[in-house]
Amino acid sequence: MSSTVETRTTRTGDPSAKPARKLRLGTLAKIVLLAVVALIFISPVIFMIVTSFKTRPDATSIPPSWIPNPFSLEAYRTLLAPGTNTPVLRWFFNSMVAAIIHSALVVVTASLAAYPLARMNFRGKKIVFAVIVATLLVPPVILVIPNYLLVSDLGWLNSLVAIIVPTAASAFGVFFMRQFFISLPDDLEEAARIDGANRFQMFTRIILPLAKPAMATLALLAFLGNWNDFLWPVYVLFTPEVQTLPPGLSTLQSANAVRYDLLMAGAVIASVPVLALFVFLQRFIIEGVSRSGVKG
Amino acid sequence: MTTLKQQEGGAPSRKGAPRPSGTSSSRGIRKQAAATPWLFLAPYLVLFIAFVLVPIVFGAWISLHTWDYTRPLKPFVGLQNYVELFTPDSRQFANFWGAMQATGIFTLFSVPLLLTIPLAVALLMAKKFPGRNFFRAVYFAPYVLGVAVIGVLWRYLLDNNIGLVNYYMGLVGLPSDIAWTTSTPAAWVALVGVTVWWTLGFNAVIYLAGLQDIPSELYEAARMDGASAWQQFVNITIPGLRPVLSFVALTTLIASVNMFGQSYLMTQGGPGRETRTAIYQIADTGLRNFQMGSAAAMSYVLTLFLIALSLLVFWLFRERKDGR
């Protein structure tokens, strides 16, 4: 920023320096304003974390306190104690298992499918791709009732398979991986072919290693999507032992409508993995999202 | 795309490189066994056919039956489920159209806010300044929390008696006893407001990527010609963002029409049934009361509305003859 450099030389109050200083002050004012707004913006999340460390009366005190007094782990102890009908630890474990297997399934099937769609010519390719992309526009509600019946017939109701498998046919994933594969240069496979590699070897040894960042991004997005999914798990998982965190939280809310310390502790437990992922990998997540938008 | 360059390894720089698809003809010469591509596609297609394609058709079939999950007989009734939805004295009519109206109200208020506020945020962040990435992350952060978390959280913050929102409103001299979750129109303000807070960062990030793709020479040239900031915005930014705008408009519209978790958790569809959205009604009819024929018909009617709205968006953002 040139304005910052200029200001340094014109600090003395030379009237001709005004425009430059104004710019700098403007930038500074903008940052301060943004910081204040950002703090207000994120304060609900901060208050959620703060409240989870409060005692029961402190959580409902007026005026609301921003520092727990006293600091207490009571809510977490109550939630994580064994033998409740709201087994938060179990929900956490279920969520983790489901989200990990789901995202692995999405990445493997989408990458495999995207490869021929990006880098081979065959009859029917255009139709297959067009049909897959067209379903991006199908609102998920259409699938809810028939998939419930399918899942029920398969005996998957009230089991984690119901939230791992049916949602794994990710049209977005295929589209996303295909865009990436298309961007790779042709010579890579040419060289491998001369060395006698078959298609599968080209895929696993040449293409996939290059596609690691794209696969990581897709895995993350699939993980987040599965971890946070709400409607489907609420209706297909109905006993506490098989539920995941989102439907679990909703039963926690109806069972403990006024125990806000417990509810916030539950919400924090549900948020820790995604917030941690976000803090460490926010560049990947944000870019995955922006790329899906711009390329879409 | 500028954002792509920041990705680790792999991706070659796009700028100036010829479109790789231009070389696809050479790929055609490279022969493989006819089955090879299908072997790659098979795992995905199995899932796709079983849980996407077949259900789309199966759902239409269900909608033509009186399909109670808990009863053995599922008699074919033709279009009766649909006719009922359009017959004012049928048992589904009031509930369904009440829910459609709720979805309409929510969409009408949330979509414009979710198109404009994130654009303002993106414009503020378009220029590089210290801490930009941090702010970008802060505004995006609520989006990674699921609807279950934000629903439970805001139910607490909006509590009539002990909620933060009423308390701070009282402090600044506003009414401090608003029943945010149990009265309208306050419940609508709450649902729309929370949704905007929750998803604003998502749209802002997409806008930001779009803004970075607009060549800065255009702005320089406009400044040379003495164009004001507003003129630059109208004549360069908006046309340059058109594809991004239409994408954001479409995804926001679809998300708003599919609203469910917020009202399920924050207002329980209440007061009465006012904030019970179409998805809520469909899920309840089909998966709670097991009237799946009716629910399937409702989902197809909702889908038709959504398709019509999507076409409207496409038409509004269509490429006009004199673009830039």
Side-chain angles (χ1 to χ4, degrees):
Chain A
M1 293 226 136
S2 59
S3 57
T4 46
V5 181
E6 276 167 53
T7 346
R8 211 165 288 151
T9 57
T10 52
R11 269 276 156 77
T12 43
D14 176 358
S16 68
K18 257 192 175 155
R21 173 180 285 183
K22 231 182 178 174
L23 253 178
R24 166 126 165 91
L25 275 178
T27 313
L28 195 69
K30 181 172 140 183
I31 293 174
V32 170
L33 181 75
L34 273 172
V36 171
V37 175
L39 192 66
I40 296 171
F41 191 80
I42 206 70
S43 61
V45 178
I46 296 171
F47 197 69
M48 168 179 91
I49 298 167
V50 167
T51 306
S52 73
F53 293 111
K54 288 179 181 177
T55 56
R56 184 178 178 178
D58 195 20
T60 52
S61 68
I62 285 286
S65 58
W66 285 85
I67 296 166
N69 182 29
F71 181 90
S72 159
L73 292 173
E74 182 196 312
Y76 290 97
R77 280 212 199 91
T78 312
L79 276 187
L80 302 179
T84 60
N85 60 343
T86 52
V88 175
L89 209 57
R90 178 86 217 180
W91 296 339
F92 184 91
F93 179 74
N94 290 343
S95 277
M96 201 49 99
V97 168
I100 289 172
I101 300 176
H102 171 84
S103 69
L105 195 57
V106 167
V107 171
V108 170
T109 57
S111 305
L112 278 170
Y115 180 63
L117 293 175
R119 307 187 73 89
M120 293 184 205
N121 273 337
F122 58 96
R123 275 176 71 94
K125 170 172 146 176
K126 275 190 181 152
I127 296 171
V128 170
F129 186 63
V131 171
I132 292 173
V133 169
T135 60
L136 276 172
L137 297 173
V138 171
V141 61
I142 283 240
L143 305 175
V144 167
I145 302 294
N147 268 340
Y148 184 92
L149 291 170
L150 283 178
V151 161
S152 164
D153 280 349
L154 291 164
W156 294 351
L157 271 189
N158 207 26
S159 97
L160 287 184
V161 191
I163 65 160
I164 293 172
V165 177
T167 44
S170 165
F172 165 75
V174 172
F175 185 75
F176 185 84
M177 291 311 297
R178 177 182 171 272
Q179 294 305 103
F180 186 84
F181 290 153
I182 277 184
S183 74
L184 300 174
D186 266 0
D187 341 347
L188 292 169
E189 284 151 307
E190 217 39 71
R193 198 175 61 92
I194 290 163
D195 291 345
N198 64 29
R199 274 290 182 184
F200 191 71
Q201 289 164 328
M202 290 179 202
F203 177 67
T204 53
R205 294 192 194 159
I206 314 276
I207 302 294
L208 279 192
L210 290 173
K212 268 183 198 157
M215 291 167 74
T217 305
L218 178 60
L220 258 169
L221 295 176
F223 183 95
L224 285 177
N226 189 268
W227 183 272
N228 287 332
D229 195 13
F230 184 69
L231 185 147
W232 182 245
V234 159
Y235 288 99
V236 295
L237 307 175
F238 27 81
T239 53
E241 314 82 67
V242 295
Q243 274 177 338
T244 51
L245 281 161
L249 273 182
S250 90
T251 56
L252 196 61
Q253 173 169 284
S254 38
N256 298 284
V258 286
R259 288 296 305 271
Y260 285 118
D261 55 330
L262 289 188
L263 286 173
M264 292 306 106
V268 168
I269 292 170
S271 311
V272 163
V274 285
L275 281 181
L277 276 180
F278 181 64
V279 168
F280 292 114
L281 301 169
Q282 52 111 345
R283 216 187 53 198
F284 269 107
I285 295 173
I286 288 181
E287 267 153 32
V289 163
S290 68
R291 234 184 325 160
S292 70
V294 176
K295 285 281 152 195
Chain B
M1 255 189 31
T2 36
T3 45
L4 221 138
K5 281 192 295 188
Q6 292 164 20
Q7 273 236 275
E8 276 166 30
S13 169
R14 291 260 175 95
K15 262 181 196 152
R19 292 267 323 151
S21 59
T23 57
S24 66
S25 59
S26 69
R27 263 180 221 149
I29 303 165
R30 210 189 287 153
K31 278 287 168 204
Q32 70 261 331
T36 308
W38 298 103
L39 286 174
F40 277 93
L41 279 161
Y44 179 81
L45 285 184
V46 169
L47 290 176
F48 181 74
I49 292 168
F51 297 106
V52 179
L53 283 192
V54 167
I56 291 174
V57 180
F58 186 33
W61 174 252
I62 294 168
S63 77
L64 303 176
H65 295 73
T66 297
W67 195 302
D68 187 326
Y69 175 65
T70 56
R71 288 170 200 220
L73 286 180
K74 283 119 169 102
F76 179 82
V77 293
L79 292 175
Q80 193 194 312
N81 287 324
Y82 293 91
V83 171
E84 268 195 8
L85 293 182
F86 291 92
T87 310
D89 53 356
S90 78
R91 69 202 156 117
Q92 303 289 7
F93 183 85
N95 287 346
F96 178 64
W97 291 103
M100 288 290 278
Q101 193 191 338
T103 295
I105 291 171
F106 179 79
T107 306
L108 193 66
F109 287 98
S110 66
V111 171
L113 292 175
L114 281 169
L115 287 181
T116 50
I117 296 173
L119 181 57
V121 171
L123 287 170
L124 267 177
M125 308 235 181
K127 288 212 184 75
K128 277 210 155 59
F129 60 89
R132 186 180 80 142
N133 286 341
F134 172 76
F135 289 121
R136 194 173 72 154
V138 166
Y139 286 105
F140 191 83
Y143 189 75
V144 302
L145 302 179
V147 70
V149 168
I150 67 112
V152 169
L153 170 59
W154 281 94
R155 180 80 192 282
Y156 173 41
L157 299 177
L158 293 167
D159 188 289
N160 286 359
N161 303 313
I162 55 135
L164 266 194
V165 175
N166 273 347
Y167 175 75
Y168 285 118
M169 281 181 64
L171 276 195
V172 296
L174 293 166
S176 62
D177 55 351
I178 296 175
W180 289 109
T181 56
T182 50
S183 74
T184 48
W188 284 120
V189 176
L191 290 168
V192 170
V194 168
T195 306
V196 169
W197 172 81
W198 178 37
T199 59
L200 167 171
F202 180 89
N203 285 0
V205 158
I206 295 174
Y207 278 136
L208 253 179
L211 287 174
Q212 282 161 0
D213 279 353
I214 301 177
S216 57
E217 299 87 66
L218 289 177
Y219 290 103
E220 275 154 35
R223 267 194 296 272
M224 299 275 243
D225 294 346
S228 67
W230 175 250
Q231 284 170 325
Q232 290 175 36
F233 176 72
V234 171
N235 294 313
I236 301 172
T237 310
I238 292 294
L241 276 184
R242 190 188 294 125
V244 176
L245 265 171
S246 65
F247 175 84
V248 172
L250 200 63
T251 50
T252 307
L253 179 77
I254 292 173
S256 298
V257 169
N258 281 298
M259 196 273 259
F260 167 74
Q262 295 97 306
S263 75
Y264 185 89
L265 287 156
M266 284 168 55
T267 63
Q268 278 83 42
R273 306 173 74 91
E274 270 106 324
T275 60
R276 177 179 278 248
T277 59
I279 300 288
Y280 200 152
Q281 184 63 32
I282 290 167
D284 226 43
T285 307
L287 306 181
R288 200 69 88 203
N289 299 328
F290 295 120
Q291 297 162 356
M292 293 181 151
S294 263
M298 288 177 191
S299 70
Y300 277 80
V301 172
L302 179 68
T303 299
L304 284 182
F305 270 90
L306 195 54
I307 290 172
L309 282 171
S310 305
L311 290 175
L312 186 69
V313 169
F314 275 127
W315 179 77
L316 281 173
F317 290 98
R318 72 196 180 277
E319 200 77 45
R320 288 171 181 88
K321 263 185 185 159
D322 46 317
R324 276 181 194 162

